[in-house]
Amino acid sequence: MDSRIYINNDWLFTPKFDESMISGKLSAARIKKDFSVVRIPHSFVETPLNYFDEKNYQMVAGYRKEFVTDKAWKNKRVFVTFEGAAHKAKVYLNGELLGVHSSGYTAFKFELTELLAPEGKNNILVVELDSRESVDAPPFGFVIDYLTYSGLYRDVYLEVKNDIYIEDVFVKTQANHIDAEVTFGNALSEDCDLHFRVLKWEKDVPEKKLEVVMEADSHVTAGEEKTESVTSSFVAGKVSFWSPENPALYLLETSLISGDKKVQDVSTVRFGFRTVEMKDEGLFINGNKVLLRGLDRHQAYPYVGYAVPKSLQEMDAEILKNELCLNAVRTSHYPQSQYFIDRCDELGLLVFTEIPGWQHIGQSEGWREQCVRNVQEMVLQYRNHPSIFLWGVRINESPDDDELYVKTNACCHELDSTRPTGGVRCIKKSHLLEDVYTYNDFVHDGTNMGTEKKENIMSEPHAPYLVSEYCGHMYPTKIFDDEIHRTEHALRHARVINSAAGQNNTGGSFGWCAFDYNTHGQFGSGDKICYHGVMDMFRNPKMASLVYASQQDNVPVLDVSSSMDVGEHPACMRGYNWIFTNADSVKMYVNDKFITEYKKEDSQFENLPHGPILINDYVGDRLEKEEGYSKGLSKQMRKILNYVAMNGQNAFTLKEYLTIAALQLKGKNPGEIRRMYDKYVGAWGGDSIVFKFEAIKDGKPVKTVYKGPVEAVFLNAAASKLVLHEENSWDAAAVRICMKDQFGNVLPYYSEAVSLKVTGPVELIGPEVTCFRGGVCGTYVKTTGKKGKATLVIQCGKYESRLEFIVK
Ligand code: GAL
C-alpha cells in the first residue's frame, strides 16, 4: 500500500568503490579493512568548517546494503527509491545493474522484483556513487559558487506493490474543484474503480482521526488501449484555501479497486486548494496580491554538507518563516529536500524551486538531455506542494539557449499547467521563453538605487517579473566583521527591499542569501566560505537578519546597530546608528534620562512596514533642563553636538560653521562646545553611559534593550529541539551558542575556545573543540540508534552550559 520500508541503517560504506563489492560475500577481514558501517543521510567525508580542499569529498565510493526477501513480498512488486544520491549513481542488485541516475538533487526509483533473492534469502543492494565534478551532467562542467558534496544524503526506502498500483496522483485545484490525475504503475488491462477521500490535514493527528471533507468514486474503463492514467474531477464542498497567512492543507487518499472489489493500492498525497498567477502587476495567490519577500537558501550545513535528517531541514524552513519572517524562499540552485518543502507547505512559505546548475550549459547531448530530465523529475516529484509557486527551468544565470530552454519550458508546462515557469538570469533583455522574467539584480552598491526598474531589464515591459537575487557578493559580511561593516550590510538589504516594495509591478524579491555556505576556492573569502548570508552557517543571526525579522507585527522586535562603544567608529564618533524595530515608536534614554522618542514614520525606508530608524539625537532637551539653556540656544548646541556625534568635527559644512559662529556670539566658545559634547554625547574616556531603548506598541512598552559597559558575561546555548526521535533514520539537533552581556547583548568580539562534550546515546557532528566567532558558534548533536537521556556540556573557560536531551 502506501507504506515505505526505510532502509537507512546498516549500510557498508567504502570511499573506494571496487567491483568485487557488487555481489558475493565480503569477509569480516575485508569489511574491517575497507568499510565502515553508516546510516543514511550520509556524506562521504566530514569537511572542516573552512580551509579545506573540496576535492576531499570527490571520489567514486561504494555503498552496500543487505536485506532479506520477506514472505509478504510473494507475488508483489518491490521498488527501491533513493531520495538523493550525489551525484551519479549506478545501482546493482545481486550483481546485476538496475540502472544509472545522474542528478544528485532529484529522487529515483528502480524495480527490484525480477532480481530479488528467493523468500528468506539475502539480497545485496550496491550503489557505486560518483561525486566528482567530472560527471557529465548539470550542475557540472565549469566552476560553481557552492559545493556539491557527496553521498546518499537523503532517505532510501523500499515499497511493495501489487501488480497494478498507483504510481502518482497529481492534484490540481481551481477554487474547491479538484482534478486528480492518477497514473498507474502498470497500465490497466481490466476495469477498475477509484475511491477518493479528501481529508483536512492537521499536524501530528493520525490520518484515521482527520475530518473527511469529501468522498467520491470514479470508474475506470480499461478500454481497448491499456489505460496508463486518468483524470477524475470533483468538487470538495467548503474548504479553506492555502495561502502564506493560512496554509491550510488537505490529503487526497486514492484507493485503486480491481473488478473483484479488492483494494489493490492506496495512495495519499498532501495538497492545498490554491491558485497561482503571475501577472504584470505581480503575484496573485487565490486572486490576492502577495509581495514576495524572500531569501535564497543553499541546503548545506557545516561539516556534513547536504547530509542532514528531516528535523534540520524543517528547522531551516522554520527559521525562514518564524525568525526571519519571510514569506518566500528560493531553493537555489537545485530542488531541495522534500522535508524542507513539506515544512514550507505547512508554514505558508512560498517556494521558487529550480533545476540544478550554475551559469554553465554543457554542450554534450547527454548533459542537455539530463537538463530536460531534471525539469521532468523536479516537476513530477514536487508538483503537489502548494508552497511551490514557480518553476525555474533555466540553469541559474546561464546565457540564452533557445534550443534548450524551449524544451525545458515545454516539458514543464506539459507536466504542470497550474504554475508559471521562470528561469534566473543576470542578463538584461534576454529571450523570455518563460512566463516570468526572474532577474538577479545586483545594482545596489551602497550609494545608488536599491533595484532597477523592470522596464529597464526586459524587452517585454508588461511581462511578469521578480528579483531572484540581490546583495550577496556586493557586500560579503562576516558575523565577526566590525559594527560599521555589519551595519552597512543590514542597510543594503533594507535599501533593496524598500526599493523592491516601491515598485508595484513586480512579484517582489529574493535576497542572496539566507545562510553563509561553503564554496569553491574561486569564490568566497579564501577560506571556502561565502559570507553572504544574513545568518552564519550555524544559523546564528547577523545584524541584517533584523531587517527581515522586523517586517511583521506579531512578535516585538527591537535592537540597535551599535553597541554604543565609541571605539567602534573612527575618531570616536557615535557614527550612523540605527534602530531595528516593528514598534510604533522607540524611546531613547541615556543613563535613565529621556532623550527622544523615535517614531515609525521617522524611518527613511518609506515602503517598508518597519524600516530601520536613524538615531540622530543624543542630547534631547537636557541642555535646557540641566544647563539652563534657552530653547534657541539649546537647539543650536544640540544641532552641533549631534552633527559631531554622527560626522565628526572635521566634516563641517558652511551650515555648521554658521551655527558655531552663532553659538560663539552667544558666548559658547569651542571649549564649551567640547565640554558639552563630552558631557552629553560621551567621548573617549568620558563617563560610562548606559543607553536604554524602549519599544512602544499601542501605547505600551513591549521590549527594552540596554547598551552599556559589560559587567558580566553569560554563556548561552539553545538547541533546535531537546527531544530527538530515532525513526526512519538518525535525528539531530542544531545548537546555537553565544556569549552575552548582562543585558542580553551578544558580545561580537568574544572569540575564546569552546569545548563540547556529549554523554548518553548521541554524538557530535564536527569537532569537540571550537571557538566563538563574532561572539557565536554552533554544533550539532546526532542520535546513534539508541534511546535514552543525553547531555551536551558546553564549556568556555569558567563558563558552562548544559543541554539535556531525550532520544525517543
Ligand atoms: C549570483 C549567483 C549565486 C551567488 C551570488 C553571489 O550571481 O547566482 O549563486 O554566487 O551571485 O552574490
Side-chain angles (χ1 to χ4, degrees):
M1 298 287 161
D2 201 31
S3 54
R4 294 172 175 183
I5 305 164
Y6 286 89
I7 49 168
N8 287 326
N9 295 330
D10 299 321
W11 284 79
L12 288 180
F13 169 74
T14 173
K16 214 162 176 242
F17 173 80
D18 155 356
E19 295 214 336
S20 67
M21 70 182 279
I22 292 178
S23 59
K25 217 173 147 38
L26 294 175
S27 71
R30 165 110 196 263
I31 292 177
K32 196 163 169 224
K33 184 167 143 277
D34 294 336
F35 291 87
S36 45
V37 180
V38 301
R39 303 177 82 193
I40 312 297
H42 179 254
S43 168
F44 288 176
V45 291
E46 275 199 14
T47 41
L49 189 70
N50 56 357
Y51 290 116
F52 58 88
D53 182 353
E54 56 269 36
K55 293 219 176 48
N56 290 349
Y57 62 75
Q58 294 173 36
M59 59 191 84
V60 184
Y63 289 91
R64 177 171 151 136
K65 166 86 189 160
E66 300 194 12
F67 62 93
V68 172
T69 301
D70 197 289
K71 184 156 94 220
W73 301 354
K74 194 163 182 183
N75 299 326
K76 302 275 180 191
R77 300 176 64 177
V78 181
F79 300 86
V80 64
T81 296
F82 294 84
E83 283 284 329
H87 284 273
K88 181 175 179 182
K90 285 191 188 167
V91 182
Y92 305 84
L93 183 72
N94 299 328
E96 300 289 329
L97 180 67
L98 286 173
V100 182
H101 185 261
S102 261
S103 173
Y105 299 99
T106 39
F108 55 97
K109 173 165 153 180
F110 294 123
E111 181 158 11
L112 307 180
T113 320
E114 297 292 311
L115 295 170
L116 279 177
E119 186 184 312
K121 295 276 184 279
N122 216 27
N123 294 285
I124 300 168
L125 181 65
V126 168
V127 184
E128 175 184 346
L129 190 55
D130 189 347
S131 64
R132 293 172 304 180
E133 296 190 2
S134 50
V135 169
D136 186 28
F140 303 117
F142 192 56
V143 294
I144 308 169
D145 172 22
Y146 55 94
L147 297 188
T148 47
Y149 296 102
S150 59
L152 293 181
Y153 73 93
R154 292 181 188 156
D155 290 335
V156 185
Y157 51 84
L158 302 176
E159 283 171 297
V160 181
K161 298 284 180 186
N162 285 320
D163 194 36
I164 53 166
Y165 66 95
I166 299 170
E167 172 68 37
D168 183 46
V169 178
F170 177 29
V171 188
K172 299 191 228 178
T173 65
Q174 184 72 44
N176 61 349
H177 183 106
I178 294 180
D179 281 336
E181 205 178 285
V182 183
T183 305
F184 304 106
N186 203 5
L188 298 183
S189 50
E190 55 165 302
D191 286 8
C192 284
D193 286 304
L194 291 173
H195 181 67
F196 297 100
R197 293 201 313 155
V198 175
L199 312 170
K200 173 107 185 63
W201 180 84
E202 282 175 66
K203 194 155 184 64
D204 301 327
V205 176
E207 217 172 301
K208 280 196 286 268
K209 298 212 166 141
L210 296 176
E211 181 199 343
V212 180
V213 178
M214 191 224 70
E215 294 195 57
D217 290 291
S218 136
H219 184 72
V220 187
T221 315
E224 302 221 324
E225 289 299 308
K226 289 186 169 188
T227 303
E228 280 168 7
S229 73
V230 289
T231 299
S232 302
S233 303
F234 36 88
V235 176
K238 194 168 177 304
V239 294
S240 300
F241 296 117
W242 186 97
S243 69
E245 300 77 39
N246 177 37
L249 292 169
Y250 290 83
L251 300 178
L252 178 66
E253 186 195 83
T254 308
S255 305
L256 172 62
I257 303 157
S258 48
D260 55 5
K261 301 288 171 229
K262 283 204 178 123
V263 176
Q264 296 293 338
D265 197 7
V266 179
S267 134
T268 305
V269 295
R270 201 170 65 168
F271 70 101
F273 290 91
R274 64 108 190 78
T275 53
V276 169
E277 288 163 286
M278 277 294 284
K279 303 188 196 168
D280 180 23
E281 311 93 84
L283 169 66
F284 292 79
I285 303 283
N286 304 323
N288 301 317
K289 189 164 174 181
V290 175
L291 178 73
L292 295 162
R293 184 164 295 130
L295 290 170
D296 289 80
R297 174 206 186 222
H298 269 303
Q299 63 175 14
Y301 296 77
Y303 316 124
V304 283
Y306 293 163
V308 298
K310 178 180 177 196
S311 60
L312 292 189
Q313 297 289 347
E314 294 183 334
M315 177 193 79
D316 268 6
E318 283 154 19
I319 288 173
L320 295 168
K321 174 79 184 190
N322 298 333
E323 291 185 35
L324 295 170
C325 305
L326 304 169
N327 64 5
V329 58
R330 172 171 167 231
T331 68
S332 48
H333 299 298
Y334 37 77
Q336 301 187 354
S337 163
Q338 294 282 356
Y339 292 131
F340 175 73
I341 314 283
D342 279 342
R343 196 71 188 116
C344 292
D345 289 344
E346 294 169 12
L347 292 164
L349 195 63
L350 289 158
V351 179
F352 171 14
T353 196
E354 66 189 357
I355 49 170
W358 202 82
Q359 294 193 345
H360 166 77
I361 301 177
Q363 289 315 313
S364 78
E365 215 176 298
W367 198 103
R368 297 166 78 85
E369 276 169 8
Q370 183 63 44
C371 183
V372 181
R373 205 172 304 125
N374 286 343
V375 173
Q376 184 188 31
E377 291 183 355
M378 171 177 77
V379 177
L380 286 175
Q381 293 171 21
Y382 291 83
R383 61 187 175 170
N384 279 322
H385 289 287
S387 58
I388 297 179
F389 73 99
L390 182 64
W391 300 116
V393 300
R394 289 170 82 109
I395 300 291
N396 171 63
E397 292 193 332
S398 56
D400 280 343
D401 185 329
D402 290 5
E403 195 262 336
L404 179 62
Y405 293 140
V406 162
K407 284 189 193 150
T408 57
N409 273 282
C411 170
C412 189
H413 283 133
E414 191 190 319
L415 296 172
D416 181 9
S417 56
T418 71
R419 294 175 181 87
T421 59
V424 171
R425 314 136 151 85
C426 54
I427 39 173
K428 297 182 182 179
K429 320 262 174 193
S430 91
H431 298 177
L432 182 57
L433 303 170
E434 295 75 26
D435 303 309
V436 187
Y437 202 107
T438 50
Y439 178 69
N440 289 349
D441 183 346
F442 289 109
V443 73
H444 184 58
D445 65 7
T447 63
N448 56 351
M449 61 187 140
T451 50
E452 295 229 42
K453 290 221 170 344
K454 89 176 202 188
E455 296 75 13
N456 298 338
I457 307 297
M458 306 187 296
S459 310
E460 306 77 356
H462 296 298
Y465 176 83
L466 62 80
V467 172
S468 35
E469 289 181 36
Y470 57 81
C471 283
H473 64 276
M474 296 302 288
Y475 207 70
T477 301
K478 302 169 188 80
I479 203 162
F480 47 90
D481 273 330
D482 71 15
E483 188 174 294
I484 295 178
H485 194 102
R486 284 180 284 122
T487 305
E488 173 60 11
H489 183 228
L491 292 177
R492 285 185 181 217
H493 278 267
R495 290 185 207 114
V496 176
I497 61 171
N498 183 57
S499 166
Q503 295 190 36
N504 57 10
N505 59 351
T506 85
S509 57
F510 292 85
W512 193 264
C513 61
F515 315 119
D516 291 346
Y517 54 98
N518 286 126
T519 190
H520 287 94
Q522 292 91 330
F523 308 91
S525 288
D527 63 346
K528 310 286 165 89
I529 298 181
C530 236
Y531 292 96
H532 294 180
V534 304
M535 291 188 156
D536 74 359
M537 287 209 285
F538 293 102
R539 284 53 173 162
N540 289 304
K542 298 182 192 171
M543 193 191 295
S545 68
L546 287 164
V547 170
Y548 295 94
S550 50
Q551 305 310 318
Q552 44 81 34
D553 291 302
N554 305 323
V555 185
V557 173
L558 174 66
D559 210 344
V560 175
S561 64
S562 180
S563 64
M564 296 296 187
D565 293 300
V566 286
E568 265 299 79
H569 294 259
C572 324
M573 279 184 280
R574 295 240 165 252
Y576 279 63
N577 300 323
W578 301 80
I579 298 170
F580 302 100
T581 188
N582 54 358
D584 299 333
S585 66
V586 173
K587 290 185 180 163
M588 178 173 133
Y589 300 80
V590 168
N591 287 341
D592 277 334
K593 294 204 167 103
F594 174 74
I595 302 296
T596 193
E597 182 166 3
Y598 293 98
K599 301 261 162 47
K600 171 171 151 171
E601 305 72 59
D602 294 336
S603 172
Q604 17 182 296
F605 298 85
E606 69 284 2
N607 303 317
L608 294 182
H610 305 288
I613 304 168
L614 180 66
I615 299 176
N616 56 9
D617 188 7
Y618 292 87
V619 183
D621 61 3
R622 288 183 71 188
L623 297 170
E624 279 163 76
K625 285 193 180 141
E626 295 174 40
E627 303 291 327
Y629 275 30
S630 70
K631 240 191 162 79
L633 182 60
S634 155
K635 198 174 161 197
Q636 283 170 323
M637 183 66 93
R638 181 176 173 184
K639 234 191 201 156
I640 280 299
L641 299 187
N642 282 324
Y643 186 88
V644 175
M646 295 173 72
N647 304 291
Q649 51 189 340
N650 296 335
F652 290 151
T653 65
L654 182 62
K655 217 160 119 199
E656 284 73 45
Y657 283 119
L658 289 175
T659 311
I660 290 170
L663 282 169
Q664 271 181 321
L665 282 177
K666 292 178 184 165
K668 304 294 174 197
N669 59 27
E672 178 70 353
I673 299 177
R674 172 94 219 193
R675 201 175 66 78
M676 291 297 114
Y677 186 88
D678 289 354
K679 184 165 171 192
Y680 290 100
V681 181
W684 194 249
D687 288 342
S688 65
I689 298 176
V690 175
F691 287 83
K692 176 175 151 187
F693 297 88
E694 191 179 53
I696 311 287
K697 182 105 187 163
D698 301 325
K700 290 192 209 92
V702 287
K703 195 163 181 191
T704 309
V705 161
Y706 295 90
K707 303 279 172 174
V710 176
E711 287 164 1
V713 168
F714 298 88
L715 175 61
N716 218 282
S720 56
K721 58 182 198 166
L722 294 171
V723 181
L724 301 171
H725 295 275
E726 269 287 332
E727 282 171 347
N728 303 328
S729 178
W730 55 279
D731 194 5
V735 182
R736 293 190 266 190
I737 307 169
C738 63
M739 269 299 189
K740 293 187 170 178
D741 66 11
Q742 72 275 16
F743 301 121
N745 298 306
V746 171
L747 299 169
Y749 305 116
Y750 203 94
S751 46
E752 297 300 308
V754 181
S755 94
L756 306 163
K757 285 207 175 67
V758 283
T759 51
V762 295
E763 283 171 3
L764 287 173
I765 299 178
E768 288 186 354
V769 177
T770 181
C771 68
F772 283 106
R773 297 171 178 84
V776 297
C777 61
T779 188
Y780 298 90
V781 168
K782 71 181 274 198
T783 62
T784 53
K786 297 195 193 86
K787 304 195 171 170
K789 289 187 175 165
T791 309
L792 167 67
V793 180
I794 303 157
Q795 192 123 30
C796 176
K798 64 177 183 180
Y799 305 104
E800 186 182 291
S801 178
R802 298 167 85 84
L803 293 174
E804 309 286 347
F805 297 90
I806 297 176
V807 184
K808 285 192 170 167

